[in-house]
């Protein structure tokens, strides 16, 4: 009985470790933590689309994209490489801070029909 309890405890521990390391490997990760504290701008990637097709922000603000699909997606600039995420698995996120005013159009590398834009004022 004690052994079963121990195994259960180890599983819980592994689960917690798995959760806390979820965001590692993404770019601009430190910014994600900051923006969460100040009320982050979050865009969900869901049902092969971006939850905010057009999001207006101010210079210096950070946006976090989080994938809610079982399918992998990316956040990739149409032109240039302002946005350049890895393939995001379900629940993985990507954050980016915009330092210049412009219109940044982006898409998903796997699904070209997934398109959206960020307007930085
Ligand atoms: Cu996609």
């Amino acid at each position: 009985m004690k052994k079963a309890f121990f195994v259960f405890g180890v599983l819980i521990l592994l689960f917690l470790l798995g959760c806390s390391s979820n965001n590692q490997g993404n770019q601009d990760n430190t910014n994600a933590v900051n923006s969460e504290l100040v009320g982050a701008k979050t865009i969900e990637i869901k049902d092969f689309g971006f939850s905010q097709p057009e999001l207006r922000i101010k210079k210096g603000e950070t946006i976090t994209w989080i994938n809610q699909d079982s399918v992998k997606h990316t956040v990739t600039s149409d032109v240039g490489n302002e946005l350049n995420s890895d393939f995001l698995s379900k629940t993985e996120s990507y954050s980016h801070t915009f330092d210049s005013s412009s219109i940044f159009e982006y898409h998903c590398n796997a699904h070209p029909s997934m398109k959206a834009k960020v307007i930085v004022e």
Side-chain angles (χ1 to χ4, degrees):
M1 211 54 201
K2 270 186 176 171
K3 191 178 176 187
F5 194 72
F6 175 74
V7 169
F8 185 65
V10 168
L11 285 175
I12 294 273
L13 199 64
L14 286 175
F15 178 70
L16 291 175
L17 286 173
C19 285
S20 61
S21 63
N22 236 354
N23 284 333
Q24 283 174 9
N26 288 331
Q27 298 168 356
D28 302 342
N29 228 356
T30 46
N31 293 324
V33 175
N34 277 337
S35 63
E36 269 166 28
L37 295 173
V38 205
K41 311 263 176 185
T42 304
I43 296 177
E44 283 188 314
I45 309 174
K46 206 173 177 184
D47 299 326
F48 293 87
F50 298 100
S51 65
Q52 307 210 53
E54 188 177 308
L55 181 56
R56 214 170 266 271
I57 62 167
K58 296 205 161 49
K59 201 160 77 174
E61 286 190 304
T62 300
I63 297 178
T64 299
W65 286 262
I66 179 161
N67 185 17
Q68 304 287 15
D69 276 345
S70 307
V71 178
K72 290 185 179 184
H73 297 295
T74 72
V75 178
T76 309
S77 286
D78 289 0
V79 178
N81 60 355
E82 179 84 15
L83 296 169
N84 188 21
S85 80
D86 293 330
F87 274 90
L88 304 173
S89 301
K90 190 171 189 180
T91 73
E92 280 189 326
S93 65
Y94 167 72
S95 297
H96 182 77
T97 302
F98 293 85
D99 293 322
S100 55
S101 301
S102 188
I103 297 172
F104 298 97
E105 294 181 298
Y106 62 94
H107 62 279
C108 166
N109 258 342
H111 313 101
S113 64
M114 293 172 61
K115 293 179 82 58
K117 68 175 115 174
V118 174
I119 300 166
V120 184
E121 294 174 326

